Amino acid sequence: MSSNTLSFQPPTDASVQDKQNTSASGIDYYQFSQGDWKAANAQRNASNGDKDCCKCEITDKPEDQATERTIDDLRNGKSTAARLTALGKLADDGIQQFLMLDKDGTARQYRIETEKCGNRTLIHCYGNDDKGEERVVMRAARTADGEFEQERNKDGKHVSYYGDIWTREMQGKSSLVGDASQFASHKPVPSGDS
């Protein structure tokens, strides 16, 4: 009986460099590893045996991820109702300030304020415009059954869900601006994405 043994010998540094440091596909591994093949190889080998090298830390808490999704719903809401629902959720979750990227790529600081008024809760969102001035972005009165209604001015007339100055100055920049159809409406908006 004859026994066959198979032995493997890793290539030496010289034999690898003699082959001009290229693989069958033509990738130059020496160049790819920033010119220090030995250091890259040693790093790779160290990470295979070192159990501490793969420690990672999760920095986002699940509630942070939920808040980010809600902010995305606010930014990308297709309707006033969807945006108000997201704004109400942020307020319910106790979020008082947040950053959000606008259409123009600018990260803007927003602030949420709530106030109980009889059987309604007033929800206001403020944002800083290009001049740094804080403006009303959105506002609504949420009824006890969860519907959103337009607030009224001192003359008792309905006001828009969107701040007039914000909408005028931030048109095309912010995703949180109203359009003409939303200014004329004074019907309650049900909460949800309808």
Side-chain angles (χ1 to χ4, degrees):
M1 280 191 155
S2 69
S3 70
N4 294 332
T5 59
L6 183 63
S7 67
F8 173 75
Q9 299 244 340
T12 64
D13 290 345
S15 66
V16 171
Q17 288 178 0
D18 287 343
K19 293 183 181 181
Q20 298 176 342
N21 304 313
T22 57
S23 68
S25 62
I27 297 174
D28 185 345
Y29 289 106
Y30 185 78
Q31 183 179 8
F32 186 75
S33 65
Q34 303 299 324
D36 192 4
W37 187 85
K38 288 180 185 178
N41 194 22
Q43 243 180 353
R44 207 172 16 254
N45 291 338
S47 67
N48 289 336
D50 187 8
K51 292 182 176 146
D52 291 335
C53 75
C54 298
K55 286 185 179 177
C56 61
E57 182 179 333
I58 298 173
T59 57
D60 285 347
K61 300 175 193 151
E63 57 268 15
D64 292 341
Q65 294 171 356
T67 299
E68 286 298 319
R69 284 191 298 273
T70 305
I71 291 171
D72 284 343
D73 291 344
L74 178 64
R75 177 182 34 250
N76 300 318
K78 301 290 183 205
S79 67
T80 300
R83 290 178 182 161
L84 288 172
T85 299
L87 189 62
K89 176 144 179 38
L90 289 171
D92 292 345
D93 290 346
I95 304 299
Q96 295 176 346
Q97 291 187 1
F98 61 95
L99 283 174
M100 184 172 77
L101 285 179
D102 281 340
K103 286 180 184 179
D104 66 354
T106 303
R108 296 195 192 279
Q109 181 73 39
Y110 292 90
R111 181 173 67 86
I112 300 173
E113 192 175 89
T114 60
E115 182 180 342
K116 193 76 172 150
C117 187
N119 63 349
R120 290 175 168 72
T121 302
L122 304 179
I123 301 174
H124 296 145
C125 179
Y126 300 92
N128 294 326
D129 64 12
D130 289 335
K131 300 172 191 164
E133 296 288 324
E134 188 175 74
R135 304 285 185 197
V136 174
V137 176
M138 294 186 78
R139 60 189 162 220
R142 184 169 49 186
T143 63
D145 61 354
E147 287 190 348
F148 291 97
E149 298 178 341
Q150 287 176 293
E151 293 181 10
R152 295 177 183 264
N153 64 15
K154 62 183 177 185
D155 299 327
K157 295 182 182 180
H158 288 101
V159 294
S160 171
Y161 289 114
Y162 298 91
D164 297 336
I165 296 172
W166 181 266
T167 296
R168 184 173 57 247
E169 292 182 2
M170 302 305 289
Q171 194 71 41
K173 297 177 184 179
S174 175
S175 53
L176 298 179
V177 294
D179 61 28
S181 66
Q182 292 155 337
F183 287 102
S185 171
H186 65 273
K187 296 177 186 172
V189 176
S191 62
D193 289 339
S194 52

